[in-house]
Amino acid sequence: MRGCDISKATLGRIPQYLKYLISLSNIDHISATAIAKNLGFGEVQVRKDLGCVCGKGKPKIGYVREELIESLSRFLSCEQGNAIIVGAGKLGTALLEYDGFREYGIQVSAAFDKRLFSEQITESGKKIYPISDLTEYCQNNKIDIGIITVPPESAQKILNLLCENGIKNICCFAPCKLYTPSDVTVQYENLALSLAYLKSHINR
């Protein structure tokens, strides 16, 4: 990364750039203009996105395609994180089974639930463990991200448990505000708010 903060919007476009570049054949160089035209993005936005990850292209030449692919792939690889889910209800299980996280270098390896007394395996082969196994699992696996999908009244307790096991990057789907240590980052995901935002456009 080039010392530039990567926004969520930019991060969302990087896999699209990578897929497009890989799909090309017999092309050694490509310009930001061509990328923007073929993906339907603004040229200035493409230049900013690629500038954050790969630096600037060369005047009149653009980017070396293979080098650009390597840079984008390396960026996603560097961002790779191993995640676990706590709360294996309908939402937690759906996230566990979702395959799209891989595009962003994230591997959701397992889920945990207080209602279980023994290990279970999903249809795709993912494992769900009793919550009592979480500490041992974290000791045996490098976990970078914790995903909380429990009811709001249980979320703080789960966050504390994740922090105790060295997990400092949290994604919380529970509709509540959590108290966190200063070195812990929490990303709140509110599906109801997202739908309300879309609803606000209905009568415009």
Side-chain angles (χ1 to χ4, degrees), residues 13-194:
R13 288 186 288 266
I14 290 177
Q16 297 180 64
Y17 295 139
L18 186 57
K19 283 183 179 180
Y20 170 65
L21 292 166
I22 291 174
S23 73
L24 300 176
S25 59
N26 301 321
I27 293 178
D28 294 326
H29 295 82
I30 189 166
S31 66
T33 303
I35 295 173
K37 180 179 179 180
N38 283 280
L39 293 180
F41 297 149
E43 182 178 340
V44 173
Q45 187 63 70
V46 171
R47 292 185 188 280
K48 287 177 64 177
D49 290 347
L50 297 181
C52 281
V53 179
C54 315
K56 297 180 179 180
K58 297 179 181 179
K60 298 183 180 181
I61 296 177
Y63 296 90
V64 177
R65 174 175 160 268
E66 289 297 332
E67 290 180 357
L68 190 52
I69 289 174
E70 182 180 350
S71 294
L72 293 171
S73 299
R74 186 167 57 246
F75 173 79
L76 289 177
S77 176
C78 287
E79 293 292 304
Q80 187 165 8
N82 191 15
I84 58 172
I85 295 171
V86 181
K90 291 181 179 179
L91 176 58
T93 301
L95 293 172
L96 181 64
E97 296 282 70
Y98 179 58
D99 200 41
F101 292 118
R102 284 196 233 175
E103 287 189 359
Y104 299 92
I106 299 170
Q107 173 66 37
V108 181
S109 59
F112 298 83
D113 198 287
K114 70 176 183 180
R115 295 168 297 181
L116 296 185
F117 295 98
S118 61
E119 174 187 314
Q120 292 185 359
I121 300 178
T122 68
E123 292 182 1
S124 66
K126 294 289 187 71
K127 293 184 177 180
I128 306 175
Y129 298 96
I131 192 68
S132 57
D133 290 351
L134 187 145
T135 295
E136 182 180 358
Y137 188 90
C138 290
Q139 290 173 347
N140 295 328
N141 299 273
K142 184 181 183 298
I143 306 301
D144 305 290
I145 301 169
I147 303 171
I148 299 175
T149 55
V150 300
E153 61 271 18
S154 302
Q156 185 66 55
K157 181 179 179 180
I158 296 305
L159 179 132
N160 295 343
L161 178 61
L162 293 172
C163 291
E164 289 169 6
N165 284 281
I167 302 172
K168 297 184 178 182
N169 299 287
I170 311 294
C171 179
C172 180
F173 282 85
C176 61
K177 182 69 175 178
L178 301 174
Y179 297 96
T180 64
S182 59
D183 61 343
V184 172
T185 300
V186 178
Q187 173 69 42
Y188 293 95
E189 299 293 341
N190 190 325
L191 299 180
L193 181 60
S194 296

